[in-house]
Amino acid sequence: MKNLIRALNYQIRRDNVTYYAYLAGIAALILLFITDVSGSAFELTGSEYFFSSMAGANYASILFFFSILVTRICGWDYSDKTINYQIFAGHSRDSVFWSRIRVSFLTCVPSAVLIFFILPPVILSLKNGWGISMDIDGVLLRCFICLFIILRIYSECVLFTFITKSCYTGLITSFLYLYIGATIFSMLSGDSHEKTSMISVCSSLLNYTEVMNFNDYDFEYIDGVDEIVADSAIEPSYALVTIIVSLLVSAASVLVSWYNFRRADMK
């Protein structure tokens, strides 16, 4: 498996699509972040950043990033039959499959966390301070919960790539599934907030939006300025359900991908 991992890492470094995926994710984050907030984005404090943009812009960027990069790493070798040649050369199907899971996971997940969750609020906090909009402990807890949703997004992209046996079809299918699924479940939830919370775990997009959506807020007059102060606490039962569902969907997606890969005909 070590040789397979080395070959995949070399391929990633030499593939322009890798850099396009990073640029696309960052560009989407910057574009949506700027259009989602009023005034200059660079004048926001760290807490204002979370309140203003995390629910919408960040998810879209993560989805865009994962859809391109995960499907590319896991499915590109189907196009030129490299996967077939590796199996015919004596590598087991398990080593071929799990090497791609390992490389794609270590390439995508830490990068997404760093780019979308760590760098923006850290840079803004160093420049403008954390601010008073939200309690940092509550924000960190929500970010921790979102890690499980990111794992779910990753696993769903893996599933569609190995089922379709194509990075291109897997990219389109993953994107459509995540957005169409979110649209359907959003329509089912209606205007009821309690119903939305229950249904949102059925879709990773809605689940992320619900976790990072700070609906309970008010304006307080502080030092002559109206400041937004939001409640960053999250309901424990919803947090627990989110983690459990994310882990179950992630495990099921990877296991179905593995089973399908082991049973698939190699021509």
Side-chain angles (χ1 to χ4, degrees), residues 80-96:
D80 59 3
K81 306 296 184 182
T82 298
I83 288 182
N84 300 30
Y85 300 147
Q86 290 174 345
I87 294 175
F88 296 151
H91 295 286
S92 68
R93 291 194 181 217
D94 285 347
S95 63
V96 172

Side-chain angles (χ1 to χ4, degrees), residues 59-87:
Y59 183 88
S61 303
I62 292 171
L63 178 58
F64 203 33
F65 178 80
F66 271 127
S67 298
I68 296 175
L69 198 54
V70 176
T71 56
R72 183 72 172 187
I73 295 173
C74 292
W76 175 243
D77 287 336
Y78 277 110
S79 60
D80 59 3
K81 306 296 184 182
T82 298
I83 288 182
N84 300 30
Y85 300 147
Q86 290 174 345
I87 294 175

Side-chain angles (χ1 to χ4, degrees), residues 38 75 86 126 145 175 177 201 205 241:
S38 58
Q86 290 174 345
L126 290 175
I145 296 170
F175 201 81
Y177 165 78
V201 295
L205 189 154
V241 170

Side-chain angles (χ1 to χ4, degrees), residues 40-208:
S40 173
F42 299 103
E43 298 302 320
L44 294 175
T45 63
S47 60
E48 288 173 338
Y49 165 79
F50 276 98
F51 179 83
S52 301
S53 63
M54 285 296 287
N58 223 333
Y59 183 88
S61 303
I62 292 171
L63 178 58
F64 203 33
F65 178 80
F66 271 127
S67 298
I68 296 175
L69 198 54
V70 176
T71 56
R72 183 72 172 187
I73 295 173
C74 292
W76 175 243
D77 287 336
Y78 277 110
S79 60
D80 59 3
K81 306 296 184 182
T82 298
I83 288 182
N84 300 30
Y85 300 147
Q86 290 174 345
I87 294 175
F88 296 151
H91 295 286
S92 68
R93 291 194 181 217
D94 285 347
S95 63
V96 172
F97 175 81
W98 291 110
S99 63
R100 280 163 174 77
I101 294 298
R102 177 177 175 178
V103 171
S104 59
F105 179 85
L106 293 178
T107 300
C108 300
V109 175
S111 299
V113 173
L114 176 64
I115 294 172
F116 304 120
F117 281 84
I118 297 178
L119 286 181
V122 167
I123 292 173
L124 289 173
S125 294
L126 290 175
K127 181 178 181 294
N128 305 316
W130 173 253
I132 61 171
S133 292
M134 280 182 293
D135 178 66
I136 192 170
D137 293 336
V139 170
L140 290 176
L141 176 59
R142 289 185 185 238
C143 289
F144 173 74
I145 296 170
C146 282
L147 293 179
F148 294 93
I149 303 176
I150 290 176
L151 177 62
R152 176 179 174 179
I153 300 169
Y154 161 80
S155 302
E156 289 169 338
C157 290
V158 167
L159 173 64
F160 287 114
T161 303
F162 279 103
I163 285 180
T164 60
K165 299 180 183 179
S166 168
C167 62
Y168 303 113
T169 309
L171 170 63
I172 296 172
T173 307
S174 299
F175 201 81
L176 290 177
Y177 165 78
L178 291 168
Y179 268 107
I180 291 176
T183 301
I184 293 173
F185 287 117
S186 179
M187 292 171 61
L188 291 175
S189 64
D191 297 328
S192 171
H193 178 69
E194 292 183 1
K195 195 174 181 181
T196 300
S197 296
M198 291 187 293
I199 293 180
S200 65
V201 295
C202 299
S203 164
S204 53
L205 189 154
L206 291 181
N207 199 185
Y208 174 92

